[in-house]
Amino acid sequence: MQRDADWNDWRAFLAVARSGSTLSAARAMRVSQTTVARRIACLEEALGLGLFERRSAGYALTAAGGALVARAEAVEAAALAAQAQARAAGRSLSGTVRITAEEIFSTALLAPHLLELHETYPEVRIEIDNTIGLRDLAAGEADIALRSSEKMEGGGLVGRRLVADNWTLYCSRSYAERHGVPGSIPGLRAHTLVGGGGGQLAREYGEWIEQAGLADRVTVEQGSATGLLSAVQTGLGIAVLPCVVADALPDIIRCLPPMAERRQMWLLTHERVRHQPAVRAVIDFLYERLSAHVRNLQLRVAA
């Protein structure tokens, strides 16, 4: 599926146009050379234009590419001005914002954005609570929740739905190379399973394993969903993981279609604090970043 170009594609275009090579551009952008080359290819595909001639001495702009440099620089200037304005506004915000989320979602979905969040709002202090079980937002136990549930429950809660919280079984590419990928539940009889996950997940996952007649295939029980992810990544065996996390990891492979699931992932706060400037800024920031993660994930799975 062809996707639209995004700003990072244009950033790569300008970096290569200015330096004449993907290697120099990668150093300037602090990403890999492969990432820069991929973004250039994606931009050319989205525009239907050849922007560079690949030469032994580097990348040279085509006529079409050269005609777009000034427009791309104008967009860059506007983006930098908007960023500067946002950071100036961010410096006027202060206070502590407490966020509650399951550890696997905190680690995989929130942590990658905390540096940018700090740079945007340097006077806002973030506290992450990974306690298993729901924190009471109405009672002030947290300000923001990244929460999975069938519906938005609780008096006074306000927020936005992010994505269906589907889970299924995954293995690592290294495990698949050694043992293959099971194509069915009966096929799991020939594989090693990792169980557990902690709390309600451990109970539901354990019941599924029992009903599938696979209890004797479980060799390790993990105490958290993050532990399940770690076990899969190290090639120990097959385990259930959230699709919104695992589908974004290049070294992880889906073994089976997602299990029937009615749960949704929500980004929530309480009406008592929703208009506090720091809370409002943080929840808007997170919603924008997590929504972009979901969109990119959906394009990747559909491709």
Side-chain angles (χ1 to χ4, degrees), residues 164-301:
D165 184 25
N166 295 321
W167 293 59
T168 192
L169 296 174
Y170 290 85
C171 69
S172 69
R173 294 191 181 277
S174 63
Y175 179 93
E177 290 170 359
R178 297 195 311 272
H179 306 289
V181 180
S184 65
I185 293 176
L188 289 167
R189 291 289 316 162
H191 292 269
T192 298
L193 297 185
V194 180
Q200 182 65 23
L201 169 61
R203 290 188 289 274
E204 294 177 359
Y205 182 30
E207 289 173 2
W208 181 89
I209 288 173
E210 289 285 349
Q211 291 170 3
L214 296 167
D216 62 322
R217 303 310 303 158
V218 176
T219 60
V220 175
E221 292 271 345
Q222 288 283 354
S224 68
T226 305
L228 294 178
L229 175 58
S230 176
V232 169
Q233 288 180 311
T234 59
L236 177 60
I238 295 171
V240 69
L241 294 171
C243 299
V244 72
V245 170
D247 284 342
L249 302 174
D251 59 333
I252 298 295
I253 300 173
R254 273 193 194 186
C255 296
L256 297 174
M259 301 172 181
E261 182 59 74
R262 296 187 300 273
R263 299 172 72 85
Q264 305 292 320
M265 182 169 287
W266 304 84
L267 191 62
L268 304 173
T269 188
H270 193 271
E271 59 186 9
R272 175 180 54 82
V273 297
R274 67 182 298 190
H275 295 302
Q276 290 183 8
V279 173
R280 183 76 267 159
V282 171
I283 201 168
D284 286 345
F285 176 96
L286 292 177
Y287 181 75
E288 180 183 339
R289 301 312 186 276
L290 295 177
S291 295
H293 171 86
V294 169
R295 288 193 300 271
N296 290 335
L297 204 59
Q298 289 169 340
L299 289 172
R300 176 175 176 172
V301 172

